[in-house]
Amino acid sequence: MSTPARVELRHGDITRLSVDAVVNAANSSLLGGGGVDGAIHRAGGPAILRECRELRATRFPDGLPTGHAVATGAGELPARWVIHTVGPVYGRTPDGPQRLTDCYSTCLAVADDLGARTVAFPLISAGAYGWPREDAVRTALDTLHGVSTDVRTAILVLFDAATLRLAESLVG
């Protein structure tokens, strides 16, 4: 029976977590970039890029749409899979908040399809895409606490201690 996942907050390197799936805050090209995306591609090695190129050649010739998610293997990461999602750029479209929510919920749906029980999420769109941190944290927590899933544990991995403290203050 599906219920919302237990949500844990952590500060650290998402590429080092031994979980079933790691979420990549990808760009629509799926071909790597900066921030979390670049770190996952570097740590996971060339196998992830090969699978992403195959996805672009077959299922997503125009790129992965914002708010959607797709999985690949995890290459050399300690995870089994990488779930790639494209977050919205803050302020670019009026449906940005819904698209950000969609990122988390579609990643959970993909995790369910894979049979993943532990999933690590970055704070989607809060880096280069400019989403205000407090709103990004609230969206992540509200969605992860509100979506029924077979995922048992969702870990929100925050990029610095200040963001972790912010998230802890919003939980408690």
Side-chain angles (χ1 to χ4, degrees):
M1 184 168 94
S2 295
T3 60
R6 180 173 53 88
V7 179
E8 294 180 7
L9 302 174
R10 290 199 195 159
H11 168 240
D13 183 349
I14 198 168
T15 68
R16 294 179 180 222
L17 294 181
S18 294
V19 291
D20 292 330
V22 170
V23 172
N24 181 17
N27 62 53
S28 64
S29 77
L30 294 174
L31 302 179
V36 171
D37 193 18
I40 285 174
H41 276 271
R42 281 189 302 277
I48 296 172
L49 182 57
R50 276 194 300 275
E51 286 190 60
C52 286
R53 284 187 174 139
E54 180 65 23
L55 286 168
R56 283 298 307 275
T58 56
R59 292 177 54 195
F60 302 104
D62 298 324
L64 184 64
T66 302
H68 292 230
V70 65
T72 64
E76 298 172 29
L77 295 173
R80 294 176 62 193
W81 300 285
V82 175
I83 301 172
H84 307 267
T85 191
V86 179
V89 175
Y90 182 71
R92 185 171 286 173
T93 62
D95 65 344
Q98 182 58 54
R99 296 273 183 112
L100 184 56
T101 296
D102 292 346
C103 288
Y104 291 97
S105 60
T106 58
C107 285
L108 289 171
V110 169
D112 285 347
D113 290 344
L114 294 169
R117 297 297 175 254
T118 54
V119 180
F121 288 84
L123 191 57
I124 299 167
S125 288
Y129 286 8
W131 211 274
R133 286 185 189 184
E134 184 171 339
D135 191 52
V137 170
R138 283 184 195 280
T139 299
L141 293 173
D142 289 349
T143 307
L144 294 173
H145 282 122
V147 173
S148 288
T149 179
D150 293 327
V151 171
R152 291 186 195 116
T153 305
I155 304 166
L156 186 59
V157 182
L158 303 158
F159 44 81
D160 59 34
T163 307
L164 175 62
R165 285 191 302 276
L166 170 64
E168 289 170 339
S169 75
L170 294 173
V171 170

